[in-house]
Amino acid sequence: FDNDTFDSDNRVVFDLVPWPVLEHPFALQDELICWPEIEGFFEAGIHVKGITYEQLKTLISDTQRRFHPDRWSSR
């Protein structure tokens, strides 16, 4: 997803986006893409056994870049 280029022939669709929520992708619905669900995703990351602070920090940083409005406007 992060390296794909989207245009009129290759459109981004809801199912291709790696939404940062805990819901399983097959059960995900657009109303579950909301701030409390996203916060829950990152809060759960704090409790993942074996994840380091640096790994969590990288995940948050990568996700911020992935969903930044400037990036989406260029796609």
Side-chain angles (χ1 to χ4, degrees):
F1 176 83
D2 289 331
N3 297 321
D4 289 341
T5 302
F6 300 101
D7 57 28
S8 60
D9 295 326
N10 183 29
R11 295 176 186 241
V12 65
V13 294
F14 183 84
D15 295 341
L16 294 178
V17 178
W19 300 108
V21 295
L22 294 173
E23 192 70 34
H24 191 281
F26 294 127
L28 189 59
Q29 298 173 358
D30 60 348
E31 62 266 7
L32 294 174
I33 311 298
C34 60
W35 190 246
E37 293 292 326
I38 294 168
E39 283 181 325
F41 175 82
F42 289 108
E43 287 172 0
I46 294 169
H47 304 291
V48 172
K49 187 175 183 176
I51 193 169
T52 66
Y53 172 77
E54 287 302 316
Q55 289 171 319
L56 184 59
K57 188 175 163 182
T58 299
L59 173 65
I60 292 169
S61 178
D62 290 349
T63 304
Q64 285 176 324
R65 280 191 298 277
R66 179 177 295 132
F67 291 100
H68 192 280
D70 290 345
R71 180 157 187 216
W72 282 86
S73 66
S74 67
R75 294 179 126 192

